[in-house]
Amino acid sequence: MAVDRLRSIIERVERLEEERKALAGDIKDIFSEAKSAGFDVKVIKQIISLRKKEPAEVEEQETLLDLYRRALGM
Amino acid sequence: MAVDRLRSIIERVERLEEERKALAGDIKDIFSEAKSAGFDVKVIKQIISLRKKEPAEVEEQETLLDLYRRALGM
Amino acid sequence: MAVDRLRSIIERVERLEEERKALAGDIKDIFSEAKSAGFDVKVIKQIISLRKKEPAEVEEQETLLDLYRRALGM
Amino acid sequence: MAVDRLRSIIERVERLEEERKALAGDIKDIFSEAKSAGFDVKVIKQIISLRKKEPAEVEEQETLLDLYRRALGM
């Protein structure tokens, strides 16, 4: 078996997973900073999620959401 | 080792996991039905998520979301 | 809009989600019972996962795992 | 509202999320490479997971797994 190749694969994945963990920590820190600055973190996450979508898609979904809510008396 | 006890624990968990899988299938079927009936499934999921929250919390989050969006020119 | 249909869809999903949550609680209770009886819960979960696979697949994976571990000096 | 602060928070999170997505892609590429080289990707993932644990913990879990399997006639 190509053991050096196997070892290299494993070590590269482990390094990238470490970086991914560090990034997750950095993101968490930014949200802590946002909270300390008085922002609502849940709402910031909604903003980030909205910015990923096409504006036309966002508008269509919001129109439907309003329609369904009114129909249900919410 | 209390092997009968162990076997009973495992079999009960497996049975409940089967039921859970069946429920997940049933939920998927209802969403398929909703889609066939012309409803937007993503929006229905948003409605279900809103209904789980306190109305006051929903209103506060929506007010903040509007505020942030306007501030960001979205 | 067929509001009765929409309401029925939402309420059926909510009911099934409640059942799913109850099942998750039941499974958690069985694992608590297992722990109190002196069993290792992580190992029980491994057993349950093994039982879902074909015996031939399990054996092949275990043979490879041994091979890789020995190659890596683990 | 401190809109510049809000915008900075959002953009920093988005940048880090992009990096995280890129890392996930890099990890996927390494596993594709591993597969092409004839390795079993599931088994490599098990190896990576074992390397994260203390050797003593791994050994204890494996001893128990053997014990439970034999008790259950697996």
Side-chain angles (χ1 to χ4, degrees):
Chain A
M1 193 179 42
V3 63
D4 289 341
R5 183 78 180 275
L6 177 61
R7 196 183 303 277
S8 152
I9 286 165
I10 289 167
E11 289 173 357
R12 280 183 288 148
V13 170
E14 285 175 340
R15 214 150 34 224
L16 294 174
E17 282 182 350
E18 276 310 307
E19 287 179 44
R20 203 156 59 161
K21 232 168 104 180
L23 282 175
D26 292 345
I27 291 171
K28 235 183 123 192
D29 289 346
I30 296 175
F31 284 129
S32 297
E33 174 203 323
K35 203 185 160 189
S36 303
F39 293 109
D40 187 301
V41 168
K42 272 192 200 172
V43 175
I44 290 182
K45 287 180 180 174
Q46 278 179 283
I47 292 280
I48 290 170
S49 155
L50 288 174
R51 281 162 60 103
K52 283 192 191 120
K53 295 179 189 165
E54 290 299 316
E57 192 200 340
V58 171
E59 203 189 316
E60 197 200 322
Q61 300 259 317
E62 290 185 339
T63 303
L64 282 175
L65 184 60
D66 275 353
L67 183 69
Y68 290 9
R69 282 169 91 165
R70 246 169 318 179
L72 295 162
M74 287 171 73
Chain B
M1 193 179 42
V3 63
D4 289 340
R5 185 79 181 275
L6 177 61
R7 196 183 303 278
S8 152
I9 286 165
I10 290 167
E11 289 173 356
R12 279 182 289 147
V13 170
E14 285 175 341
R15 214 149 36 224
L16 294 174
E17 282 183 350
E18 276 309 307
E19 287 179 43
R20 203 157 58 160
K21 230 169 105 179
L23 283 176
D26 292 344
I27 291 172
K28 233 183 124 191
D29 289 346
I30 296 175
F31 284 128
S32 296
E33 176 203 323
K35 203 186 159 188
S36 303
F39 293 109
D40 187 301
V41 168
K42 273 192 199 171
V43 175
I44 290 183
K45 287 181 181 173
Q46 279 179 284
I47 292 280
I48 290 170
S49 155
L50 288 173
R51 282 162 60 103
K52 283 192 191 119
K53 295 179 187 163
E54 290 300 316
E57 192 201 340
V58 171
E59 204 190 314
E60 196 201 322
Q61 300 259 316
E62 290 185 339
T63 303
L64 281 175
L65 184 60
D66 275 352
L67 182 69
Y68 291 7
R69 284 168 90 165
R70 247 170 317 181
L72 295 162
M74 289 170 71
Chain C
M1 193 181 40
V3 63
D4 288 342
R5 184 76 181 276
L6 178 60
R7 197 184 301 279
S8 152
I9 287 165
I10 289 167
E11 288 173 357
R12 279 182 289 147
V13 170
E14 286 175 341
R15 212 148 38 221
L16 294 174
E17 282 182 351
E18 276 310 307
E19 286 179 44
R20 205 157 57 161
K21 231 168 104 181
L23 282 176
D26 291 345
I27 291 172
K28 234 182 123 193
D29 289 346
I30 296 175
F31 284 129
S32 295
E33 174 202 324
K35 202 185 160 190
S36 303
F39 293 109
D40 186 301
V41 169
K42 274 192 199 171
V43 175
I44 290 182
K45 287 180 181 174
Q46 279 180 283
I47 292 280
I48 290 171
S49 154
L50 288 173
R51 280 163 61 104
K52 284 191 190 119
K53 295 179 188 164
E54 290 300 316
E57 192 200 341
V58 171
E59 203 188 315
E60 196 201 323
Q61 300 259 317
E62 291 185 339
T63 303
L64 282 175
L65 183 61
D66 275 352
L67 183 68
Y68 290 9
R69 284 169 89 165
R70 246 169 317 179
L72 295 161
M74 290 169 71
Chain D
M1 192 179 40
V3 63
D4 289 341
R5 183 79 181 275
L6 177 61
R7 198 184 302 276
S8 152
I9 285 165
I10 289 167
E11 289 173 357
R12 280 182 288 149
V13 170
E14 285 176 340
R15 214 150 34 225
L16 295 174
E17 282 182 351
E18 276 309 308
E19 287 179 44
R20 202 156 59 160
K21 230 169 107 180
L23 282 175
D26 292 345
I27 291 172
K28 234 183 125 192
D29 289 346
I30 297 175
F31 284 129
S32 295
E33 175 203 324
K35 202 185 160 188
S36 303
F39 293 110
D40 187 301
V41 168
K42 273 192 200 171
V43 176
I44 290 182
K45 287 181 182 174
Q46 279 180 283
I47 292 281
I48 290 170
S49 155
L50 288 173
R51 281 163 60 103
K52 283 192 191 120
K53 295 179 188 163
E54 290 300 315
E57 192 200 340
V58 172
E59 204 189 316
E60 195 201 325
Q61 299 259 316
E62 291 185 339
T63 304
L64 282 175
L65 184 60
D66 275 353
L67 182 68
Y68 290 9
R69 282 169 90 166
R70 245 170 318 181
L72 296 161
M74 288 169 73

